[in-house]
Amino acid sequence: MDLILFGPPGAGKGTQAKRLVAAHDIPQISTGDLMRAERKSGSELGQRFDEFMSQGKLVPDAMVIELMEKRLTREDAKRGAIFDGFPRTVAQAEALDALLAKLGRQIDKVVVIDVAREEIVERITGRRLCEETGREYHIRYNPPPPDVKVTQRGDDTEETAHKRYDTFEQNTLPVLPHYEAKGLVAKVDGVGALDEVTTRIEAVLPR
Ligand code: AMP
């Protein structure tokens, strides 16, 4: 199964993707995570990603598509993938269709995780990460235990959260009609307990 988790930054795509990985035995492919890993490695490519990421701007399509092509041809993604934070532009969606077609596959479902802007800004600014375990917390809704060392993503400020939401509305929302025309889109309410949202997503996935 090839599944796109679609929604604004901070909607819970990453969190829900991780929960679906175990149940469906396919990897999560997050372009944001791939870029952060590249940035952390200190490579020149990572520095180029950072110029865009730190400002809440989209990384140019050609760079993102190249990154995806490399990731998608790895062994673990042979039976499908959960795309998280990709595609974010119509050009990326078209490139993904072409990449999957080459592998004899196609997108099976696009699940929109629906969350309003005010809620998004609160979620993003309170988000914390334990780099050691990769576990995510929120200072209000899911506070880290006192002995767990957490960090905040550099782009999780209020200003950048608004900018990223603007970018989502301007560049990423126009991706939906591409999949709506194929009858692949289902929308779920992204507000509620993590388990509830997972159940809503599972309910719309192809059997
Ligand atoms: P995310 O972790 O998905 O919220 O992504 C963090 C940042 O990485 C975004 O604000 C963009 O700067 C960049 N990024 C991640 N995925 C993409 C993508 N598919 N296209 C362009 N930029 C991306």
Side-chain angles (χ1 to χ4, degrees):
M1 178 175 64
D2 285 286
L3 165 72
I4 295 174
L5 289 186
F6 190 92
K13 300 186 297 292
T15 306
Q16 292 298 332
K18 287 189 182 75
R19 294 172 147 237
L20 297 172
V21 161
H24 297 273
D25 197 24
I26 48 176
Q28 166 197 18
I29 301 186
S30 154
T31 41
D33 284 351
L34 292 172
M35 289 173 194
R36 277 185 287 279
E38 193 67 46
R39 202 172 54 175
K40 211 172 163 187
S41 80
S43 72
E44 198 186 314
L45 181 63
Q47 281 174 28
R48 285 176 61 206
F49 288 149
D50 188 55
E51 287 168 29
F52 301 93
M53 295 172 81
S54 58
Q55 297 179 56
K57 288 186 187 162
L58 290 183
V59 170
D61 286 333
M63 290 168 78
V64 185
I65 292 165
E66 195 186 328
L67 192 72
M68 180 54 65
E69 191 165 10
K70 267 194 209 144
R71 178 63 187 87
L72 200 54
T73 44
R74 265 169 48 189
E75 183 67 23
D76 65 339
K78 237 175 144 175
R79 293 179 43 252
I82 301 168
F83 297 96
D84 154 18
F86 179 94
R88 261 174 155 101
T89 64
V90 173
Q92 289 180 20
E94 286 166 352
L96 178 60
D97 284 352
L99 282 175
L100 287 175
K102 262 202 257 172
L103 301 167
R105 286 154 49 185
Q106 59 184 38
I107 290 297
D108 297 298
K109 199 81 197 170
V110 179
V111 180
V112 180
I113 305 183
D114 192 28
V115 183
R117 182 190 284 254
E118 307 75 63
E119 167 96 14
I120 287 294
V121 173
E122 212 214 330
R123 283 190 189 185
I124 284 186
T125 52
R127 188 152 72 171
R128 298 292 183 276
L129 178 75
C130 172
E131 290 191 28
E132 223 178 285
T133 60
R135 203 168 281 171
E136 290 202 344
Y137 298 94
H138 189 282
I139 48 173
R140 234 167 93 188
Y141 306 121
N142 177 24
D147 55 328
V148 172
K149 191 173 155 272
V150 290
T151 53
Q152 186 175 23
R153 266 170 55 174
D155 59 346
D156 277 353
T157 64
E158 183 164 350
E159 194 197 345
T160 320
H162 275 290
K163 254 196 219 145
R164 284 157 68 200
Y165 200 94
D166 291 341
T167 306
F168 168 73
E169 286 186 326
Q170 283 161 21
N171 302 89
T172 307
L173 265 186
V175 169
L176 269 192
H178 177 85
Y179 294 110
E180 267 160 356
K182 298 179 181 178
L184 292 175
V185 177
K187 198 183 215 179
V188 301
D189 182 1
V191 181
L194 294 183
D195 282 344
E196 278 167 19
V197 180
T198 309
T199 305
R200 286 176 203 147
I201 295 174
E202 289 285 3
V204 299
L205 294 186
R207 305 269 130 223

